[in-house]
Amino acid sequence: MQEKICVFIADDHAIVREGLKRIVHSDEGIEVCGEAATGSETIASMREREVDVLVLDVSFPDRSGFDVLSHVKAARPRCHVLMLSMEREEEFAIRALRAGADGYIEKRSAPEQLIQAIRRVAEGRKYLTADLVETLALDRDHAPAERPHDLLSPREFDIFLAIAGGKPVREIAANLGLSVKTVNNHRARVLAKLRVKSTAELVRYAIRHALIR
């Protein structure tokens, strides 16, 4: 008998987790092996157990999903990660794949798409929805090859989004396990790479590029 695909669900909304578990349980070949509501809890759980697929939200109150992704891939390189987001913007899909995710799916996707995505990444293949693939292809044809925020490292991008989202430096430092000085150094590099001079300009840049709302 073929073993079931072991799935771990990480999302800070209990209702979302319950909905995801119901979808997963509808497929006899997949089972939920655990769940987490915070980024830190997800990282701790992944260090303690082997799972086939981690369904990971892109954002948690305590830390970025991309930061969680980097920790998980370092601790469990064989774990396949499917990033989950409310955002359709291709920017997040590109970031997720560059950061090591195996797939990216929107929360508004149909249940059968989630099952398909889980099965595909569990097989070691990449997953993006068809419309997102088409959007990415069109954007590559018409958009500049590189934008300033494409030059940010994963850590810089996390800090950029946190600052743009209104989080104070001390909170960002505590969430990421960094010193305030280190966060400020990253902030300075972000400002330089984005060619902006203040936090206000940084926020406007993020809004202009649909990175925050």
Side-chain angles (χ1 to χ4, degrees):
M1 183 176 178
Q2 186 176 5
E3 291 188 7
K4 291 186 177 183
I5 298 171
C6 175
V7 174
F8 189 97
I9 296 173
D11 192 289
D12 61 318
H13 295 98
I15 291 177
V16 173
R17 293 198 307 277
E18 288 303 314
L20 293 172
K21 285 191 289 185
R22 288 191 180 190
I23 295 172
V24 171
H25 286 150
S26 70
D27 190 298
E28 295 181 354
I30 309 174
E31 63 179 348
V32 176
C33 301
E35 62 182 282
T38 69
S40 297
E41 184 182 346
T42 303
I43 293 171
S45 296
M46 290 300 97
R47 286 173 178 162
E48 297 173 355
R49 68 182 74 189
E50 289 274 6
V51 303
D52 298 311
V53 178
L54 167 63
V55 178
L56 176 66
D57 194 8
V58 299
S59 178
F60 294 89
D62 61 331
R63 61 206 308 163
S64 161
F66 295 107
D67 183 50
V68 176
L69 173 63
S70 64
H71 281 84
V72 170
K73 282 296 185 178
R76 300 290 185 191
R78 291 190 297 176
C79 176
H80 302 293
V81 180
L82 177 64
M83 297 291 283
L84 184 71
S85 175
M86 287 294 295
E87 303 294 341
R88 185 180 181 280
E89 280 79 10
E90 63 275 9
E91 175 64 38
F92 288 90
I94 292 172
R95 280 280 167 182
L97 296 178
R98 284 181 177 174
D102 301 279
Y104 180 95
I105 189 170
E106 303 164 48
K107 290 182 179 179
R108 70 191 78 185
S109 299
E112 57 268 23
Q113 285 182 300
L114 176 64
I115 295 297
Q116 180 186 23
I118 290 172
R119 286 192 167 279
R120 183 171 297 180
V121 299
E123 294 171 355
R125 297 188 290 164
K126 299 295 183 182
Y127 180 86
L128 289 174
T129 56
D131 58 339
L132 188 52
V133 169
E134 182 178 356
T135 300
L136 289 171
L138 289 173
D139 283 354
R140 280 197 297 269
D141 290 338
H142 298 97
E146 193 173 73
R147 295 158 297 184
H149 59 273
D150 290 331
L151 301 176
L152 300 179
S153 69
R155 174 68 79 195
E156 290 168 348
F157 189 73
D158 281 345
I159 291 174
F160 163 44
L161 291 184
I163 293 173
K167 290 186 177 180
V169 170
R170 288 190 179 278
E171 181 180 340
I172 297 171
N175 289 343
L176 296 179
L178 303 173
S179 68
V180 170
K181 180 179 179 181
T182 297
V183 173
N184 279 325
N185 288 338
H186 280 301
R187 177 185 177 277
R189 286 196 290 271
V190 169
L191 293 177
K193 288 182 178 181
L194 299 186
R195 298 191 288 274
V196 298
K197 298 180 180 179
S198 66
T199 298
E201 288 185 22
L202 184 149
V203 172
R204 287 195 290 271
Y205 179 101
I207 294 173
R208 188 168 67 252
H209 288 86
L211 300 174
I212 62 169
R213 296 186 184 279

